[in-house]
Structure formats: structure tokens, C-alpha cells
Amino acid sequence: MRTSFLILFYSLVSFVVKAQETLIIFTQASDTHFIETTLPEIKAFANENDIEIIEKDAQNSVPAEITTTPAIIYQNARGRSIYSSRYAELSTIKNFIRTSKVVPQRQADLQKTEVLVWESGKSKIIADLKITAAKGKLPNDLNPTKLEEITRTIFDERMGSFSFQNQVSLQRTDRVFYLDIHPYFGKANQCFLSLEIYSQYSCKDPIFSNFTAPLQGTSTDLEGLLQQAAKLLEKQVVYQVSNSIIGDAFNPIAANVPTVSWESLGLSLPKKDTQANINLTTVPELPQKWDFYQALDASTPIVQFRFMAPLDRYVGEIRKIEGDLQFTDNQMKGKFIADMQSLTMGMESFDYNVLNKYVRAYKFPASSFEFSSPISFDQLTYGETLNTTVQGTFELMRKEHPVEVAAQITPIVDESGQPLLQISASFELNVVNDFGIKGPDGPSPAREMMQFDLNFLMVGRSGNAD
């Protein structure tokens, strides 16, 4: 037994960030649907979870990052995160708050290239065209490259609110709509255009489709048909901006509204405070064997994951893991297993798609990380954080890949004197190349690299028994 274990009146300090959490809501008088439906639910959730709510009128002044309303921002001492999903989905908002507590958003602009841009007040609305391969037999004077060139030229000319830009930088509150054009060439010079619009928040269900009644014409009047398509899709984007009740609607902030700093609005990040929460007269012996215990607290994810900024709105958590580690022969060895069926991204329809199509959780219900690292048991001291790097093997869908994990291990005790290990760890995986998972639309490497963050407690085995 180490001498430090027997020191009387030892004051054990477990450093804990105080839960000073704030939700900031920017609205305008025109955000009627949000104010009447979703905002009361957000307030109720915040009240239940001791989160401060601050409401701001965006018609007075806004920070540069806020270009549309409603805008929802979460901040604590770790940082500030701006919600970027449908405002009407309370479950997604809750997921945003949970996953922002420990790992706030990283600062990164979303860059789009060769798109149509509608600048309205401070906001940018993007129309991202996708012309799918034509079905049927193309006319002799037309090939796929020429068809795409004609389509893009006509949409640039006829979508009057939009203008073509080679490159544009977006804030998190700006919006993107994906416009899909599906051409079909039939017999007797027939030409059909089926059209879809997808929100940036869901690639699964279109928010507009005319598949049951496509535009019809002849291949000799292809340009006239494409002009109709451009006007129809522009009209539908404008409609979605103004009338969507599923959470895609928004209101641009006027260009003449002053741009100010967060600090001038009284919205500075709170300072990190620490507090000593345990005083023991006898410090318990540190166990050599440990088992997974629980999350740091009910509101903090055990395992959370997100794509790299600026695509980090794609974020979720895995709610169930198990595992153990032990110190032996100057080695730390362990294995953790995640229940993939407990994965959630806060939106039921999205979860179904991810679980069944991407990670195939019902065929491969578990993923794991197994490791061995030259860390001596003597390196652990109560109240002190050991920063280390752990090498191991990550397995997902029966595919293995070596992983380097940055970890922080802090021995603490709870109020009853029970020894615990506070674990924080992070690592990255190229889920596209290494595991064949399709990434979201966006720039590389952000669409390929997924970042994982783990935060949980482990409990020592009594008597170090197996």
C-alpha cells in the first residue's frame, strides 16, 4: 500500500465543471409557428434540466454567425454550438444539447462550389443542382455532358432569385436545398422531367416531388421544358422557406440589422469553475481491475460521434457500452463493446435509415475496441489526470482497423468513498474508406472522417476479484 493511501485528513479534489448551461434563442416577430409550437417545448425541457434560457430579438442586433431565425444556440464553459437542423424536431434539439455539452462545435465554414445562391438580407440560400443520368434514348444531337451544360445554364438564367457562384462560404444558419432533375426520353421525341427537392436536413424523404405528374414535352423543345422546371423548383423553394411546418422554414435577418459580438450582447462563455467535492480522512486503495460503471451524468453521452466540421451537424450517440480494464505487468489492457442498436441521432426516421442501411446494426449488433498499452499502475494518483495515448484495434461490421486513442484517466472517489476512474477519450475514423459507410454531402475530408468522444466512469472491483 502506498504511503499516500494512509495520509490522514487528505483532501481529495475531484475537479468538476459546474453545470452553467445556457440556451440562447434568436427570433423575429415573423417566426410565428416556432414561437407558438416548439419554443414552449424547448422552455419546458430547459426548465426540467436546469438550463438557462435567454431570448433575443434578432431585429435589434445579431452576431455574425446568425443569419436566419429561429436560431438556437447552446453554450457552456466548454464552448458554443449553433443548432443546424429542423426547428420543429424537439428530439433532434435535445440530441444537439446532449452532444454539445462535452464536445462543442469546432469553428469551420461550409464551402459550396458551383451552386446557385439567393442572398436575402444577411442569409444565403443555396440551390445545389443534381442532374441524374438520363433514362431512355437520348436524341442524336444530345449527350450527357451537353444535357448537363444546357440544364445548368437554363437554371442559372431562369431561377431569377438565384445567381451562379463558383464558391460561397456559409454560416451554420444559412440553408441548402438539393434540387434533383431526372430526365427521361421516350418514343416519338417524348421528354419527361421528374423533379425533387431535398432539405439539407434529410436525404431520405423529399420535401417536394412531381414523380406522379412529371413535366412533359418533346425533346425538340427541351429548353422550354427545362425553363418550366427551373421556375417550378424556384417557386417550391420559396414556398418551403416561407411555409414549411416540419422545420425547414426560416426568416432571413435584414441586411441593415447591426452585427455585434456575443460579448456585447451579454453572451460571453462562462468561465470554468472547479470545486472540491470530497474530503476524506482515509484514502481508499486504488484497485488494479475496473469495470464500466455509468455515464458522467444523465445528460452527458457515454459515446458520441460526429463528422468533422463543417458537417458536424451530423452527430449522435451510442447509449450502451460495457467493458473492463486492468493493470498488470506494467501494462494497461482492456476491451470495450458498444451496443450498436442503442445508436441514435435524435430523429427516429433518420435513426432507422442509419441503423438499417449504414451500420446494419441488426446484423452486426456490436462494435468493439480492444487495446494494450505500456501504462504502469504506479502512474495513477487520486485527483491527478494521466494524459496518454492508447493503441488498439477497432472493429465494426466485422472489419478491423488500428486506432490511436487520446485518453485522460483521472482516479477519483464518490461521496461513499468508492474508487472510480473518470475516463475521457477521443479518436477519429475514416468511415468511408475503412468501413464502406456512405458519408454526407460535403467537402472532403469532412464527409469521410468521423470523430468519436467518450466520457464515462469505471468502478474498481472489490478486492480486485475476477
Side-chain angles (χ1 to χ4, degrees):
M1 183 179 296
R2 287 183 244 168
T3 304
S4 60
F5 290 160
L6 300 177
I7 297 177
L8 297 178
F9 306 109
Y10 176 89
S11 178
L12 179 64
V13 180
S14 173
F15 291 102
V16 180
V17 177
K18 289 184 178 178
Q20 188 175 349
E21 304 173 82
T22 304
L23 271 180
I24 305 157
I25 313 291
F26 285 92
T27 59
Q28 301 177 78
S30 48
D31 295 315
T32 308
H33 184 255
F34 170 79
I35 292 170
E36 293 178 351
T37 59
T38 309
L39 185 55
E41 295 180 325
I42 293 175
K43 288 182 176 180
F45 173 77
N47 184 59
E48 291 170 1
N49 291 274
D50 197 26
I51 301 174
E52 179 187 15
I53 285 272
I54 297 176
E55 295 183 65
K56 292 289 185 180
D57 186 346
Q59 293 172 306
N60 294 332
S61 58
V62 290
E65 297 92 333
I66 307 303
T67 62
T68 65
T69 59
I72 303 168
I73 298 91
Y74 172 86
Q75 67 179 34
N76 62 10
R78 295 179 183 268
R80 179 181 296 117
S81 301
I82 300 173
Y83 181 67
S84 181
S85 195
R86 286 173 169 157
Y87 72 74
E89 294 172 343
L90 185 63
S91 62
T92 312
I93 296 171
K94 291 178 180 179
N95 183 67
F96 159 75
I97 294 170
R98 285 177 61 85
T99 53
S100 298
K101 286 176 180 287
V102 177
V103 185
Q105 288 174 346
R106 292 160 175 83
Q107 296 301 312
D109 290 338
L110 175 61
Q111 303 286 334
K112 300 290 288 184
T113 58
E114 297 184 344
V115 290
L116 295 170
V117 183
W118 171 17
E119 297 194 34
S120 177
K122 293 182 180 293
S123 73
K124 296 183 179 72
I125 301 109
I126 304 301
D128 196 340
L129 298 184
K130 176 184 177 184
I131 301 98
T132 62
K135 294 185 177 181
K137 185 178 180 181
L138 284 170
N140 293 332
D141 60 345
L142 196 62
N143 59 50
T145 301
K146 185 176 180 181
L147 174 59
E148 179 159 345
E149 290 175 354
I150 293 172
T151 302
R152 292 189 179 278
T153 298
I154 289 176
F155 270 71
D156 184 19
E157 293 173 349
R158 294 293 176 170
M159 290 184 67
S161 300
F162 293 80
S163 62
F164 178 82
Q165 292 190 21
N166 285 313
Q167 182 170 314
V168 61
S169 178
L170 305 178
Q171 297 288 355
R172 291 186 183 271
T173 55
D174 289 330
R175 303 301 175 97
V176 179
F177 291 94
Y178 295 91
L179 279 51
D180 289 5
I181 299 100
H182 306 275
Y184 172 76
F185 293 89
K187 297 179 180 179
N189 287 332
Q190 286 180 308
C191 182
F192 302 87
L193 292 180
S194 297
L195 311 171
E196 292 178 310
I197 301 176
Y198 286 87
S199 163
Q200 71 185 77
Y201 304 135
S202 175
C203 60
K204 182 174 182 288
D205 300 311
I207 55 178
F208 167 78
S209 173
N210 76 336
F211 266 61
T212 58
L215 298 180
Q216 301 182 40
T218 65
S219 56
T220 55
D221 190 30
L222 176 60
E223 292 190 9
L225 202 58
L226 287 169
Q227 290 171 8
Q228 291 182 51
K231 298 305 292 184
L232 175 58
L233 289 179
E234 179 180 21
K235 180 180 178 181
Q236 287 298 324
V237 168
V238 172
Y239 177 84
Q240 295 297 330
V241 167
S242 305
N243 297 283
S244 171
I245 60 172
I246 62 174
D248 284 320
F250 59 93
N251 289 290
I253 295 171
N256 61 357
V257 171
T259 298
V260 297
S261 67
W262 294 92
E263 290 73 19
S264 67
L265 289 172
L267 302 175
S268 301
L269 295 178
K271 294 181 179 180
K272 292 182 179 180
D273 293 326
T274 59
Q275 58 183 20
N277 66 349
I278 302 172
N279 289 290
L280 301 176
T281 56
T282 303
V283 181
E285 183 176 359
L286 268 170
Q288 293 187 1
K289 298 180 180 180
W290 303 80
D291 295 309
F292 174 81
Y293 182 40
Q294 63 184 32
L296 295 182
D297 58 70
S299 64
T300 302
I302 299 169
V303 180
Q304 66 183 74
F305 56 88
R306 69 184 73 210
F307 283 93
M308 291 176 61
L311 301 179
D312 46 0
R313 67 174 177 273
Y314 296 101
V315 57
E317 64 176 295
I318 296 172
R319 293 182 171 176
K320 294 180 181 178
I321 72 167
E322 60 183 34
D324 61 77
L325 63 82
Q326 59 182 328
F327 295 88
T328 178
D329 299 327
N330 293 323
Q331 290 281 316
M332 180 179 72
K333 298 180 180 180
K335 183 175 183 177
F336 292 93
I337 300 173
D339 179 356
M340 296 303 293
Q341 296 181 27
S342 71
L343 181 153
T344 179
M345 299 185 75
M347 184 165 53
E348 187 174 338
S349 60
F350 199 13
D351 287 350
Y352 180 85
N353 205 36
V354 171
L355 288 168
N356 288 275
K357 184 177 179 181
Y358 296 109
V359 299
R360 301 161 67 192
Y362 298 99
K363 183 176 182 179
F364 307 106
S367 66
S368 66
F369 175 63
E370 189 167 7
F371 59 92
S372 177
S373 185
I375 298 175
S376 168
F377 177 65
D378 292 332
Q379 292 178 258
L380 296 182
T381 303
Y382 276 117
E384 296 183 8
T385 297
L386 172 64
N387 292 286
T388 187
T389 300
V390 177
Q391 308 283 344
T393 301
F394 183 86
E395 180 184 350
L396 175 65
M397 297 188 292
R398 296 185 189 150
K399 296 179 181 178
E400 294 184 347
H401 193 76
V403 172
E404 183 176 276
V405 176
Q408 298 81 45
I409 305 171
T410 310
I412 60 174
V413 295
D414 64 12
E415 290 82 352
S416 66
Q418 180 174 238
L420 302 172
L421 285 184
Q422 182 172 303
I423 305 290
S424 294
S426 61
F427 62 94
E428 294 181 351
L429 286 173
N430 189 316
V431 295
V432 175
N433 294 343
D434 298 334
F435 298 98
I437 296 174
K438 182 181 178 182
D441 178 74
S444 181
R447 63 176 300 275
E448 299 154 357
M449 299 300 299
M450 184 168 281
Q451 300 171 326
F452 292 80
D453 293 278
L454 297 79
N455 293 275
F456 55 86
L457 296 171
M458 303 195 75
V459 62
R461 293 185 194 172
S462 177
N464 286 325
D466 290 328

